[in-house]
Amino acid sequence: MKIRYLHSNLLLLVLPLIILLFPTLSRAQDYGEDATKTDTPPPGLARCNGVYMSYNSGGREKLYPRTKNATAQAWSFKATAMIVNTGIEEVKGWEMFVGYRHREIIVSATGAVSSDGDFPYDASNGTTFIGSPNTDLKTSIETAGDYTKISTNIEITGTLFGGRGTATPLPKSIKLVNDGWQCPAATSKGGTMQVCCKRNPKFKAKKKAKTKFTPRRHGDLNIIYDVLQAYTSNYMAQVTIDNDSPLGRLDHWNLTWEWMRGEFIHSLRGAYSAEKNPSECLHSKAGQFYGDLDFSQVATCQKKPIIKDLPAERKEDKLLGMLPFCCKNGTLLPALMDASKSRAIFQLQVYKVPPDQNRTAFFPPQHWKIDGIVNPQYKCGPPVRVDPTGFPDPSGLQATTYAFATWQVICNITKPKPKAARCCVSYSAFYNDSAIPCNTCACGCGDIDTDTCNANARQLLLPPDSLLVPFENRTLKAKVWAKRKHMAFPKKLPCPDNCGISLNWHVNSDYADGWSARVTVFNWGANAVEDWFAAVDLGKAGLGYENVYSFNGSRVPPKNQTIFFQGVRGMNFLIGLTNGTHPGRDPKVPGKMQSVISFKKHLRSLNIPRGDGFPKRVFFNGEECELPKFFPKKSSGKRLSGIGFLPSILLVITTFLVFMCSF
């Protein structure tokens, strides 16, 4: 027993020595199976000479609430996407589109971000992933096959709806959307989808200056974050907002983002913070590090600050103003309307906290959002590093000074969801004596008691003059009109449209070689709207546009099918809702402006009453308005009855007899 015990102790003493002397032996013992295992690349990867992409679905789990309706059941899912450059050309700023089709919501993704917006992102119509931080894919030749430089793996986590079983459904498609590349239809087998994209030999790339970082992108709203000055503990940045959409607009814009590393804004020029609470600084990491700083003078310590433009009277303020393109009270107009008001600029001094106490540590804020009043809804993507912006040298010499670092944020206008617009349209026509009002709850019914009205009912046809009064004053007119026209009148009436702005499109005339319409803009809100504009997309009929008589009008290139119009100078102020002549008995009167628009019939196939004379899309101050679901029909318009023809017939007969008697 003693000998066996001695051998055991001796083995325990010698074993560490063996491990130190023969380390490969210990690794082989612990990880033998993994060491001998080699990763086998997918067959499609080995055969691809271009850009290889794959999408592998993982498992999924049922989420709460549990429903019996399979299409409404939510599931969490995991998937892995891969993109590899297997060609001989570097891919700059790669963009991988994944065509989701099960109402997917992307919650997170490693190795990439969505160019369409921040996570969580509704990817029901698909989304485009761009590299972060690996924005470019170098070639295997120049990197000696370094997979970290020629490829990117994207680990995706999200939520989807519907489907059967526990396997995650595959997307409809995957493809590379960079210019000059073409991808065949992806092939699927099991839980894997793959495709090999190649250069389009017929594509002629435009000559572009070589860039170190991702090329700058185009969008409806272009935001640039430039670092102009850099110090150990802080830096000065400049934010430039350009409205690049011909129909986009912002009024009283509010810009917000989220600091990710404890930063705070010490001072602002050209803008101001909506909230200023010094106690937020005192109880933060910044308060501990900057112990002697007077936080009462700090612009804002909020992690998610709300930045606003300065009013015009502060433009010459030596402390807050004195910046070009600042101080317009938050107005951003399209360049087509006023180029001087299509850009906004402000500067901010950003203080950093450890471990970022060095002059080269720059981290732009994330989760950018911007909105306004009666304006389109914008969806902003993440900040993407681009080449530094060049500025004219402040000395006045013909030299260029560059920013230390630059990021770009692209925001695009989103189409409003049903019953979530901010303006609406009503229809009427000379050949039909009933008007079609705005849709029920066109701008939402959140504050309406739907027990007293039907939020899903179709609006009732009305006499045209009822469009001039508020909704609550239309009930009696609608009841009388329904009785006169022998139409049903429901006990539970439709709910109002609840829109602050509405437009009436009235087909005014229709003749052999032309036609005309009358557009009326109504302001049902209490506040006036200054420098307003509207745009009407008429499809092929818009190409025949001649003139708008009481507004300034022009076509919107490049299709020239959309008519852009605004109030003439001195008449671009749309007043709000006012009291009637006798407030006790008269309804309130909306602010309104109207004009006639004339068109030529450049196409013989145009049929105005059948729908060609009505808009396909309507915008007011950049916001897309909700259109009625049908338009006035000629078949239900005014007709001449047999009785109506009798006077004409008698007149013809009398004239004929007089003519005969004269001979």
Side-chain angles (χ1 to χ4, degrees):
M1 294 296 291
K2 288 183 178 180
I3 294 174
R4 186 177 298 174
Y5 179 73
L6 179 62
H7 286 180
S8 300
N9 287 339
L10 183 61
L11 182 61
L12 291 173
L13 291 172
V14 174
L15 185 60
L17 183 61
I18 295 173
I19 293 174
L20 290 174
L21 292 175
F22 304 99
T24 57
L25 178 62
S26 65
R27 285 200 295 269
Q29 289 174 343
D30 290 341
Y31 307 104
E33 294 181 1
D34 293 338
T36 58
K37 191 183 297 182
T38 58
D39 292 333
T40 303
L45 176 60
R47 294 191 299 266
C48 182
N49 182 10
V51 174
Y52 173 82
M53 293 187 296
S54 67
Y55 188 96
N56 295 293
S57 63
R60 62 175 185 165
E61 295 182 1
K62 189 176 289 188
L63 299 177
Y64 295 106
R66 306 292 174 88
T67 64
K68 294 182 180 180
N69 184 356
T71 58
Q73 178 60 55
W75 300 74
S76 67
F77 75 92
K78 293 184 181 296
T80 302
M82 180 172 67
I83 179 169
V84 186
N85 184 5
T86 59
I88 60 174
E89 179 183 352
E90 181 180 358
V91 182
K92 302 281 288 186
W94 63 265
E95 302 178 30
M96 179 181 182
F97 175 79
V98 181
Y100 290 109
R101 52 180 172 178
H102 292 88
R103 292 180 291 159
E104 284 86 350
I105 299 172
I106 307 302
V107 176
S108 66
T110 60
V113 295
S114 171
S115 64
D116 304 307
D118 293 318
F119 301 131
Y121 176 75
D122 183 357
S124 300
N125 297 319
T127 189
T128 301
F129 291 104
I130 59 176
S132 177
N134 187 13
T135 59
D136 305 327
L137 298 176
K138 296 186 177 299
T139 67
S140 180
I141 297 172
E142 63 180 329
T143 62
D146 187 347
Y147 260 79
T148 62
K149 296 179 180 178
I150 70 172
S151 67
T152 296
N153 282 345
I154 310 171
E155 301 293 336
I156 304 168
T157 302
T159 302
L160 60 83
F161 294 86
R164 296 179 179 179
T166 57
T168 302
L170 289 171
K172 185 178 181 180
S173 63
I174 55 173
K175 60 184 177 180
L176 185 70
V177 294
N178 295 59
D179 291 339
W181 292 86
Q182 56 186 8
C183 305
T187 59
S188 302
K189 185 177 181 180
T192 301
M193 173 180 281
Q194 60 181 356
V195 67
C196 179
C197 303
K198 297 182 179 181
R199 266 292 185 184
N200 183 354
K202 297 182 180 180
F203 178 77
K204 294 182 179 180
K206 296 181 181 179
K207 290 185 178 180
K208 296 181 180 179
K210 291 186 177 180
T211 59
K212 181 179 179 181
F213 300 98
T214 304
R216 299 200 179 198
R217 300 158 61 86
H218 299 283
D220 294 326
L221 208 63
N222 179 23
I223 304 177
I224 298 296
Y225 188 85
D226 289 307
V227 177
L228 303 182
Q229 299 175 1
Y231 307 96
T232 301
S233 61
N234 64 87
Y235 65 86
M236 176 179 285
Q238 177 171 287
V239 176
T240 305
I241 309 173
D242 283 308
N243 181 10
D244 292 335
S245 169
L247 300 179
R249 175 184 177 137
L250 282 167
D251 292 283
H252 305 287
W253 55 258
N254 295 318
L255 177 65
T256 183
W257 58 62
E258 183 176 1
W259 295 112
M260 308 305 291
R261 302 179 69 87
E263 303 97 330
F264 66 92
I265 302 175
H266 182 268
S267 61
L268 280 163
R269 180 184 288 270
Y272 69 99
S273 174
E275 293 185 17
K276 183 178 178 180
N277 187 356
S279 64
E280 293 185 10
C281 293
L282 294 177
H283 297 94
S284 66
K285 189 175 181 179
Q288 300 173 9
F289 183 74
Y290 296 100
D292 298 329
L293 186 65
D294 182 9
F295 285 104
S296 65
Q297 303 301 313
V298 169
T300 178
C301 287
Q302 287 185 304
K303 186 177 182 180
K304 297 180 181 179
I306 300 174
I307 311 298
K308 294 176 173 286
D309 191 18
L310 285 172
E313 55 267 23
R314 292 298 189 100
K315 186 174 183 178
E316 302 301 325
D317 191 304
K318 294 182 179 180
L319 292 177
L320 299 177
M322 304 295 289
L323 275 179
F325 301 103
C326 88
C327 316
K328 298 188 290 289
N329 204 26
T331 297
L332 271 176
L333 301 178
L336 183 66
M337 186 174 180
D338 189 342
S340 67
K341 294 183 179 181
S342 65
R343 167 175 284 190
I345 287 179
F346 66 90
Q347 295 178 349
L348 60 157
Q349 195 79 25
V350 181
Y351 273 56
K352 303 178 290 186
V353 297
D356 300 331
Q357 292 294 300
N358 63 75
R359 300 179 68 178
T360 59
F362 309 124
F363 297 94
Q366 303 290 323
H367 308 148
W368 292 63
K369 295 179 182 178
I370 191 167
D371 61 11
I373 301 174
V374 194
N375 296 136
Q377 300 290 326
Y378 288 89
K379 186 74 174 179
C380 299
V384 177
R385 185 80 179 264
V386 295
D387 279 3
T389 304
F391 300 93
D393 192 87
S395 65
L397 298 174
Q398 291 185 352
T400 302
T401 301
Y402 289 93
F404 284 94
T406 300
W407 285 265
Q408 182 188 37
V409 177
I410 290 296
C411 304
N412 288 313
I413 297 173
T414 61
K415 187 177 179 65
K417 296 179 180 179
K419 299 186 178 183
R422 298 187 186 180
C423 55
C424 63
V425 179
S426 60
Y427 287 159
S428 56
F430 73 94
Y431 52 79
N432 193 313
D433 52 5
S434 291
I436 301 173
C438 289
N439 294 335
T440 304
C441 298
C443 297
C445 273
D447 299 330
I448 297 292
D449 183 8
T450 53
D451 291 337
T452 60
C453 63
N454 190 340
N456 299 311
R458 194 167 75 172
Q459 283 286 21
L460 303 176
L461 297 180
L462 299 172
D465 65 332
S466 65
L467 299 178
L468 302 173
V469 298
F471 181 86
E472 55 269 19
N473 300 106
R474 299 177 185 175
T475 304
L476 182 59
K477 288 178 175 287
K479 191 172 184 178
V480 172
W481 192 253
K483 185 176 182 180
R484 183 184 300 176
K485 295 295 180 180
H486 307 288
M487 297 183 295
F489 191 79
K491 292 182 179 179
K492 193 174 183 180
L493 297 176
C495 293
D497 55 70
N498 296 316
C499 294
I501 297 290
S502 68
L503 292 87
N504 173 247
W505 183 265
H506 176 80
V507 175
N508 209 40
S509 63
D510 181 22
Y511 42 95
D513 58 350
W515 62 286
S516 66
R518 184 184 68 235
V519 60
T520 308
V521 184
F522 295 96
N523 182 6
W524 302 97
N527 299 321
V529 181
E530 190 176 2
D531 291 330
W532 63 270
F533 74 85
V536 179
D537 179 2
L538 288 161
K540 59 185 179 181
L543 296 172
Y545 164 73
E546 274 190 322
N547 197 11
V548 55
Y549 296 94
S550 300
F551 303 146
N552 286 328
S554 60
R555 293 190 183 97
V556 178
K559 292 185 177 181
N560 293 323
Q561 296 180 347
T562 300
I563 314 303
F564 179 96
F565 50 88
Q566 58 181 313
V568 297
R569 188 176 297 276
M571 296 181 62
N572 58 350
F573 195 82
L574 185 61
I575 64 173
L577 195 67
T578 58
N579 290 325
T581 306
H582 302 92
R585 67 172 186 268
D586 293 340
K588 291 187 176 183
V589 180
K592 60 180 179 294
M593 300 186 77
Q594 69 177 215
S595 178
V596 172
I597 309 175
S598 60
F599 300 86
K600 287 183 178 179
K601 286 186 177 178
H602 63 292
L603 296 174
R604 293 183 178 180
S605 59
L606 287 180
N607 192 323
I608 302 305
R610 289 289 182 91
D612 289 336
F614 293 91
K616 307 299 183 286
R617 301 173 76 186
V618 173
F619 302 85
F620 182 83
N621 280 359
E623 171 78 6
E624 185 168 355
C625 306
E626 186 164 318
L627 302 179
K629 294 179 173 59
F630 57 99
F631 45 81
K633 294 182 179 180
K634 197 169 186 177
S635 59
S636 59
K638 298 176 181 178
R639 297 176 178 175
L640 292 176
S641 63
I643 297 176
F645 275 104
L646 285 177
S648 301
I649 296 171
L650 291 174
L651 179 63
V652 171
I653 294 173
T654 304
T655 305
F656 178 77
L657 292 175
V658 171
F659 180 78
M660 293 297 293
C661 291
S662 62
F663 287 94

PDB file of all heavy atoms in Angstrom, residues 28 65 72 91 96 149 156-157 159 209 301 357 398 404 492 501 509 533 544 595 606 611 619 641 655:
ATOM      1  N   ALA A  28      -2.392  18.346 -27.210  1.00  0.00           N
ATOM      2  CA  ALA A  28      -2.987  17.261 -27.980  1.00  0.00           C
ATOM      3  C   ALA A  28      -3.921  16.431 -27.138  1.00  0.00           C
ATOM      4  O   ALA A  28      -4.962  15.981 -27.590  1.00  0.00           O
ATOM      5  CB  ALA A  28      -1.881  16.379 -28.565  1.00  0.00           C
ATOM      6  N   PRO A  65     -46.533  36.932 -26.565  1.00  0.00           N
ATOM      7  CA  PRO A  65     -47.603  36.038 -26.130  1.00  0.00           C
ATOM      8  C   PRO A  65     -47.796  34.871 -27.108  1.00  0.00           C
ATOM      9  O   PRO A  65     -47.566  35.016 -28.306  1.00  0.00           O
ATOM     10  CB  PRO A  65     -48.828  36.951 -26.134  1.00  0.00           C
ATOM     11  CG  PRO A  65     -48.538  37.967 -27.179  1.00  0.00           C
ATOM     12  CD  PRO A  65     -47.056  38.192 -27.141  1.00  0.00           C
ATOM     13  N   ALA A  72     -49.414  35.113 -36.708  1.00  0.00           N
ATOM     14  CA  ALA A  72     -49.210  36.204 -35.751  1.00  0.00           C
ATOM     15  C   ALA A  72     -48.251  35.823 -34.630  1.00  0.00           C
ATOM     16  O   ALA A  72     -47.905  36.668 -33.802  1.00  0.00           O
ATOM     17  CB  ALA A  72     -50.548  36.638 -35.153  1.00  0.00           C
ATOM     18  N   VAL A  91     -13.096  45.318 -52.638  1.00  0.00           N
ATOM     19  CA  VAL A  91     -14.475  45.802 -52.596  1.00  0.00           C
ATOM     20  C   VAL A  91     -14.566  46.887 -51.534  1.00  0.00           C
ATOM     21  O   VAL A  91     -14.470  46.614 -50.331  1.00  0.00           O
ATOM     22  CB  VAL A  91     -15.470  44.656 -52.284  1.00  0.00           C
ATOM     23  CG1 VAL A  91     -16.899  45.182 -52.286  1.00  0.00           C
ATOM     24  CG2 VAL A  91     -15.318  43.533 -53.287  1.00  0.00           C
ATOM     25  N   MET A  96     -24.455  44.485 -48.327  1.00  0.00           N
ATOM     26  CA  MET A  96     -25.107  43.188 -48.516  1.00  0.00           C
ATOM     27  C   MET A  96     -26.596  43.320 -48.188  1.00  0.00           C
ATOM     28  O   MET A  96     -26.970  43.620 -47.058  1.00  0.00           O
ATOM     29  CB  MET A  96     -24.457  42.139 -47.605  1.00  0.00           C
ATOM     30  CG  MET A  96     -25.079  40.751 -47.700  1.00  0.00           C
ATOM     31  SD  MET A  96     -24.256  39.597 -46.564  1.00  0.00           S
ATOM     32  CE  MET A  96     -25.131  38.067 -46.935  1.00  0.00           C
ATOM     33  N   LYS A 149      -9.381  40.110 -43.106  1.00  0.00           N
ATOM     34  CA  LYS A 149      -9.365  41.277 -43.976  1.00  0.00           C
ATOM     35  C   LYS A 149     -10.138  41.069 -45.273  1.00  0.00           C
ATOM     36  O   LYS A 149     -10.484  42.036 -45.946  1.00  0.00           O
ATOM     37  CB  LYS A 149      -7.920  41.672 -44.298  1.00  0.00           C
ATOM     38  CG  LYS A 149      -7.124  42.107 -43.074  1.00  0.00           C
ATOM     39  CD  LYS A 149      -5.696  42.470 -43.433  1.00  0.00           C
ATOM     40  CE  LYS A 149      -4.917  42.900 -42.192  1.00  0.00           C
ATOM     41  NZ  LYS A 149      -3.501  43.227 -42.508  1.00  0.00           N
ATOM     42  N   ILE A 156     -26.518  37.472 -36.491  1.00  0.00           N
ATOM     43  CA  ILE A 156     -27.784  38.210 -36.475  1.00  0.00           C
ATOM     44  C   ILE A 156     -28.735  37.604 -35.454  1.00  0.00           C
ATOM     45  O   ILE A 156     -28.906  36.385 -35.395  1.00  0.00           O
ATOM     46  CB  ILE A 156     -28.436  38.186 -37.870  1.00  0.00           C
ATOM     47  CG1 ILE A 156     -27.467  38.744 -38.914  1.00  0.00           C
ATOM     48  CG2 ILE A 156     -29.745  38.964 -37.873  1.00  0.00           C
ATOM     49  CD1 ILE A 156     -27.913  38.505 -40.335  1.00  0.00           C
ATOM     50  N   THR A 157     -29.335  38.463 -34.648  1.00  0.00           N
ATOM     51  CA  THR A 157     -30.378  38.066 -33.697  1.00  0.00           C
ATOM     52  C   THR A 157     -31.606  38.927 -33.948  1.00  0.00           C
ATOM     53  O   THR A 157     -31.486  40.141 -34.143  1.00  0.00           O
ATOM     54  CB  THR A 157     -29.908  38.250 -32.246  1.00  0.00           C
ATOM     55  OG1 THR A 157     -28.722  37.482 -32.034  1.00  0.00           O
ATOM     56  CG2 THR A 157     -30.981  37.789 -31.275  1.00  0.00           C
ATOM     57  N   THR A 159     -36.335  38.932 -34.397  1.00  0.00           N
ATOM     58  CA  THR A 159     -37.685  38.394 -34.190  1.00  0.00           C
ATOM     59  C   THR A 159     -38.370  38.289 -35.538  1.00  0.00           C
ATOM     60  O   THR A 159     -38.221  39.174 -36.391  1.00  0.00           O
ATOM     61  CB  THR A 159     -38.501  39.314 -33.264  1.00  0.00           C
ATOM     62  OG1 THR A 159     -37.824  39.448 -32.013  1.00  0.00           O
ATOM     63  CG2 THR A 159     -39.888  38.754 -33.023  1.00  0.00           C
ATOM     64  N   ALA A 209     -12.706  59.935 -57.045  1.00  0.00           N
ATOM     65  CA  ALA A 209     -11.467  60.099 -56.295  1.00  0.00           C
ATOM     66  C   ALA A 209     -11.330  58.960 -55.292  1.00  0.00           C
ATOM     67  O   ALA A 209     -12.308  58.532 -54.677  1.00  0.00           O
ATOM     68  CB  ALA A 209     -11.472  61.444 -55.573  1.00  0.00           C
ATOM     69  N   CYS A 301     -25.720  67.830 -19.944  1.00  0.00           N
ATOM     70  CA  CYS A 301     -25.052  66.593 -19.546  1.00  0.00           C
ATOM     71  C   CYS A 301     -25.903  65.372 -19.883  1.00  0.00           C
ATOM     72  O   CYS A 301     -25.604  64.267 -19.426  1.00  0.00           O
ATOM     73  CB  CYS A 301     -24.748  66.603 -18.050  1.00  0.00           C
ATOM     74  SG  CYS A 301     -23.407  67.712 -17.601  1.00  0.00           S
ATOM     75  N   GLN A 357      -8.866  59.720 -22.640  1.00  0.00           N
ATOM     76  CA  GLN A 357      -8.120  60.949 -22.417  1.00  0.00           C
ATOM     77  C   GLN A 357      -6.865  60.994 -23.286  1.00  0.00           C
ATOM     78  O   GLN A 357      -5.737  60.934 -22.799  1.00  0.00           O
ATOM     79  CB  GLN A 357      -7.761  61.082 -20.933  1.00  0.00           C
ATOM     80  CG  GLN A 357      -8.964  61.309 -20.023  1.00  0.00           C
ATOM     81  CD  GLN A 357      -9.625  62.647 -20.283  1.00  0.00           C
ATOM     82  OE1 GLN A 357      -9.009  63.699 -20.156  1.00  0.00           O
ATOM     83  NE2 GLN A 357     -10.898  62.625 -20.637  1.00  0.00           N
ATOM     84  N   GLN A 398      -5.328  80.491 -50.620  1.00  0.00           N
ATOM     85  CA  GLN A 398      -5.941  79.437 -51.425  1.00  0.00           C
ATOM     86  C   GLN A 398      -5.415  78.076 -50.975  1.00  0.00           C
ATOM     87  O   GLN A 398      -4.677  77.396 -51.684  1.00  0.00           O
ATOM     88  CB  GLN A 398      -5.649  79.676 -52.904  1.00  0.00           C
ATOM     89  CG  GLN A 398      -6.363  80.888 -53.468  1.00  0.00           C
ATOM     90  CD  GLN A 398      -6.156  81.047 -54.963  1.00  0.00           C
ATOM     91  OE1 GLN A 398      -5.360  80.331 -55.562  1.00  0.00           O
ATOM     92  NE2 GLN A 398      -6.872  81.976 -55.578  1.00  0.00           N
ATOM     93  N   PHE A 404     -10.087  66.697 -38.467  1.00  0.00           N
ATOM     94  CA  PHE A 404      -9.320  65.587 -37.916  1.00  0.00           C
ATOM     95  C   PHE A 404      -9.977  64.248 -38.263  1.00  0.00           C
ATOM     96  O   PHE A 404      -9.298  63.270 -38.561  1.00  0.00           O
ATOM     97  CB  PHE A 404      -9.206  65.723 -36.389  1.00  0.00           C
ATOM     98  CG  PHE A 404      -8.216  66.758 -35.961  1.00  0.00           C
ATOM     99  CD1 PHE A 404      -8.620  68.054 -35.686  1.00  0.00           C
ATOM    100  CD2 PHE A 404      -6.871  66.456 -35.831  1.00  0.00           C
ATOM    101  CE1 PHE A 404      -7.721  69.021 -35.286  1.00  0.00           C
ATOM    102  CE2 PHE A 404      -5.955  67.410 -35.436  1.00  0.00           C
ATOM    103  CZ  PHE A 404      -6.377  68.708 -35.161  1.00  0.00           C
ATOM    104  N   LYS A 492     -73.986  54.799 -36.379  1.00  0.00           N
ATOM    105  CA  LYS A 492     -72.663  55.121 -35.844  1.00  0.00           C
ATOM    106  C   LYS A 492     -71.837  55.718 -36.978  1.00  0.00           C
ATOM    107  O   LYS A 492     -71.407  55.023 -37.892  1.00  0.00           O
ATOM    108  CB  LYS A 492     -71.995  53.865 -35.282  1.00  0.00           C
ATOM    109  CG  LYS A 492     -70.770  54.141 -34.433  1.00  0.00           C
ATOM    110  CD  LYS A 492     -70.253  52.857 -33.798  1.00  0.00           C
ATOM    111  CE  LYS A 492     -69.077  53.131 -32.884  1.00  0.00           C
ATOM    112  NZ  LYS A 492     -68.567  51.878 -32.262  1.00  0.00           N
ATOM    113  N   ILE A 501     -53.825  69.538 -41.512  1.00  0.00           N
ATOM    114  CA  ILE A 501     -53.752  70.086 -42.871  1.00  0.00           C
ATOM    115  C   ILE A 501     -54.493  69.149 -43.814  1.00  0.00           C
ATOM    116  O   ILE A 501     -54.331  67.930 -43.754  1.00  0.00           O
ATOM    117  CB  ILE A 501     -52.292  70.234 -43.343  1.00  0.00           C
ATOM    118  CG1 ILE A 501     -51.532  71.235 -42.464  1.00  0.00           C
ATOM    119  CG2 ILE A 501     -52.235  70.650 -44.800  1.00  0.00           C
ATOM    120  CD1 ILE A 501     -51.959  72.675 -42.643  1.00  0.00           C
ATOM    121  N   SER A 509     -62.260  71.049 -65.169  1.00  0.00           N
ATOM    122  CA  SER A 509     -62.767  70.992 -66.544  1.00  0.00           C
ATOM    123  C   SER A 509     -62.048  69.882 -67.298  1.00  0.00           C
ATOM    124  O   SER A 509     -60.970  69.432 -66.905  1.00  0.00           O
ATOM    125  CB  SER A 509     -62.552  72.338 -67.264  1.00  0.00           C
ATOM    126  OG  SER A 509     -61.160  72.619 -67.382  1.00  0.00           O
ATOM    127  N   PHE A 533     -45.271  74.750 -48.791  1.00  0.00           N
ATOM    128  CA  PHE A 533     -45.233  74.279 -50.168  1.00  0.00           C
ATOM    129  C   PHE A 533     -45.974  72.957 -50.253  1.00  0.00           C
ATOM    130  O   PHE A 533     -46.174  72.266 -49.260  1.00  0.00           O
ATOM    131  CB  PHE A 533     -43.794  74.137 -50.699  1.00  0.00           C
ATOM    132  CG  PHE A 533     -43.031  72.963 -50.154  1.00  0.00           C
ATOM    133  CD1 PHE A 533     -43.142  71.704 -50.733  1.00  0.00           C
ATOM    134  CD2 PHE A 533     -42.192  73.104 -49.067  1.00  0.00           C
ATOM    135  CE1 PHE A 533     -42.437  70.622 -50.234  1.00  0.00           C
ATOM    136  CE2 PHE A 533     -41.482  72.032 -48.564  1.00  0.00           C
ATOM    137  CZ  PHE A 533     -41.603  70.785 -49.147  1.00  0.00           C
ATOM    138  N   GLY A 544     -48.088  67.100 -68.891  1.00  0.00           N
ATOM    139  CA  GLY A 544     -48.798  68.129 -69.640  1.00  0.00           C
ATOM    140  C   GLY A 544     -48.997  69.421 -68.867  1.00  0.00           C
ATOM    141  O   GLY A 544     -49.758  70.293 -69.314  1.00  0.00           O
ATOM    142  N   SER A 595     -55.777  77.649 -55.936  1.00  0.00           N
ATOM    143  CA  SER A 595     -55.369  78.080 -57.261  1.00  0.00           C
ATOM    144  C   SER A 595     -55.849  77.065 -58.288  1.00  0.00           C
ATOM    145  O   SER A 595     -56.039  75.886 -57.978  1.00  0.00           O
ATOM    146  CB  SER A 595     -53.851  78.219 -57.350  1.00  0.00           C
ATOM    147  OG  SER A 595     -53.446  78.591 -58.659  1.00  0.00           O
ATOM    148  N   LEU A 606     -55.089  59.660 -72.292  1.00  0.00           N
ATOM    149  CA  LEU A 606     -55.480  60.196 -70.986  1.00  0.00           C
ATOM    150  C   LEU A 606     -56.996  60.190 -70.835  1.00  0.00           C
ATOM    151  O   LEU A 606     -57.722  60.682 -71.701  1.00  0.00           O
ATOM    152  CB  LEU A 606     -54.954  61.620 -70.803  1.00  0.00           C
ATOM    153  CG  LEU A 606     -53.454  61.797 -70.551  1.00  0.00           C
ATOM    154  CD1 LEU A 606     -53.119  63.269 -70.387  1.00  0.00           C
ATOM    155  CD2 LEU A 606     -53.032  61.031 -69.299  1.00  0.00           C
ATOM    156  N   GLY A 611     -59.491  58.468 -63.683  1.00  0.00           N
ATOM    157  CA  GLY A 611     -58.423  58.444 -62.691  1.00  0.00           C
ATOM    158  C   GLY A 611     -57.170  59.182 -63.077  1.00  0.00           C
ATOM    159  O   GLY A 611     -56.360  59.529 -62.204  1.00  0.00           O
ATOM    160  N   PHE A 619     -47.945  65.745 -51.358  1.00  0.00           N
ATOM    161  CA  PHE A 619     -47.066  66.113 -50.243  1.00  0.00           C
ATOM    162  C   PHE A 619     -47.396  67.524 -49.789  1.00  0.00           C
ATOM    163  O   PHE A 619     -47.705  68.406 -50.604  1.00  0.00           O
ATOM    164  CB  PHE A 619     -45.595  66.065 -50.671  1.00  0.00           C
ATOM    165  CG  PHE A 619     -45.138  64.728 -51.182  1.00  0.00           C
ATOM    166  CD1 PHE A 619     -45.341  64.377 -52.517  1.00  0.00           C
ATOM    167  CD2 PHE A 619     -44.511  63.822 -50.352  1.00  0.00           C
ATOM    168  CE1 PHE A 619     -44.921  63.152 -52.999  1.00  0.00           C
ATOM    169  CE2 PHE A 619     -44.096  62.593 -50.825  1.00  0.00           C
ATOM    170  CZ  PHE A 619     -44.296  62.262 -52.151  1.00  0.00           C
ATOM    171  N   SER A 641     -81.822  64.463 -67.916  1.00  0.00           N
ATOM    172  CA  SER A 641     -82.949  63.545 -68.026  1.00  0.00           C
ATOM    173  C   SER A 641     -83.783  63.895 -69.253  1.00  0.00           C
ATOM    174  O   SER A 641     -83.555  64.892 -69.932  1.00  0.00           O
ATOM    175  CB  SER A 641     -83.822  63.649 -66.758  1.00  0.00           C
ATOM    176  OG  SER A 641     -84.360  64.950 -66.671  1.00  0.00           O
ATOM    177  N   THR A 655     -88.137  77.077 -83.708  1.00  0.00           N
ATOM    178  CA  THR A 655     -87.247  77.751 -84.670  1.00  0.00           C
ATOM    179  C   THR A 655     -87.486  77.234 -86.082  1.00  0.00           C
ATOM    180  O   THR A 655     -87.527  77.998 -87.052  1.00  0.00           O
ATOM    181  CB  THR A 655     -85.771  77.522 -84.269  1.00  0.00           C
ATOM    182  OG1 THR A 655     -85.583  77.956 -82.923  1.00  0.00           O
ATOM    183  CG2 THR A 655     -84.834  78.278 -85.196  1.00  0.00           C
TER     184      THR A 655
END
